[in-house]
Amino acid sequence: MKKLILPVFFAAFIFSSCGKSDKNCTLTSASLQGSYKISSIKYKGSSTQAETEVLNTGLFLPACEVDNIFSFNNNGTYTYTDAGVVCNPNSSDAGVWSVSGNTLTVDGDATPVTNFGCSSFQITEYDSFQNGDITVLTFARQ
């Protein structure tokens, strides 16, 4: 699961120089810097199905990873901290990240950021190998 979440997640962290409104935020390395936690995972079996919230179901993330923190530092490094309920083995990690346009690259894996605001961002995964599955992950600034 970590292989799915880390590349997708690391596409956007924020050190907010933004104001209170998410409408005036632009995705840049500076605006992404900061710490985030996954606040929502919505799943659709196809583009015609309704989204289902699956964050706390264990389908995409084990319970011990729901409270973990992603921190994007201003020097292009990140830390993934196994916070709260600790996994066994511990899932903490570190690496490098960058932003180019609307793409977040974490440890060489590029992922488009589909929605960015000063207090949160979303990434969307499309699984062309299944039935057109769509997964939307939302990260909230901590």
Side-chain angles (χ1 to χ4, degrees), residues 99-132:
V99 170
S100 179
N102 287 331
T103 300
L104 169 63
T105 301
V106 176
D107 292 337
D109 293 321
T111 303
V113 176
T114 54
N115 189 4
F116 179 78
C118 290
S119 61
S120 66
F121 70 93
Q122 290 180 334
I123 53 176
T124 303
E125 290 189 334
Y126 301 92
D127 187 350
S128 59
F129 297 107
Q130 295 290 326
N131 300 322

Side-chain angles (χ1 to χ4, degrees), residues 1-6 8 38 40-46 49-66 68 70 80 87 123-127 130 132-139:
M1 175 46 56
K2 182 176 166 187
K3 286 186 178 189
L4 166 73
I5 298 301
L6 286 178
V8 174
I38 296 176
S40 173
I41 300 175
K42 294 188 178 177
Y43 173 78
K44 293 172 73 168
S46 72
Q49 290 182 343
E51 288 183 333
T52 302
E53 178 60 55
V54 295
L55 177 64
N56 293 308
T57 64
L59 293 175
F60 285 83
L61 277 182
C64 64
E65 289 190 12
V66 171
N68 293 354
F70 300 89
Y80 176 73
C87 297
I123 53 176
T124 303
E125 290 189 334
Y126 301 92
D127 187 350
Q130 295 290 326
D133 298 1
I134 302 168
T135 307
V136 178
L137 292 97
T138 302
F139 298 88

Side-chain angles (χ1 to χ4, degrees), residues 14 16 22 25 36 117-121 139-142:
I14 301 174
S16 181
D22 278 358
C25 291
Y36 296 84
C118 290
S119 61
S120 66
F121 70 93
F139 298 88
R141 185 181 292 280
Q142 297 300 290

Side-chain angles (χ1 to χ4, degrees), residues 15-31:
F15 173 75
S16 181
S17 57
C18 302
K20 292 183 179 180
S21 172
D22 278 358
K23 294 178 185 176
N24 297 323
C25 291
T26 301
L27 178 61
T28 65
S29 292
S31 66

Side-chain angles (χ1 to χ4, degrees), residues 75-99:
N75 64 356
T77 64
Y78 74 85
T79 56
Y80 176 73
T81 305
D82 195 343
V85 177
V86 178
C87 297
N88 186 9
N90 186 304
S91 62
S92 294
D93 198 9
V96 297
W97 70 280
S98 64
V99 170

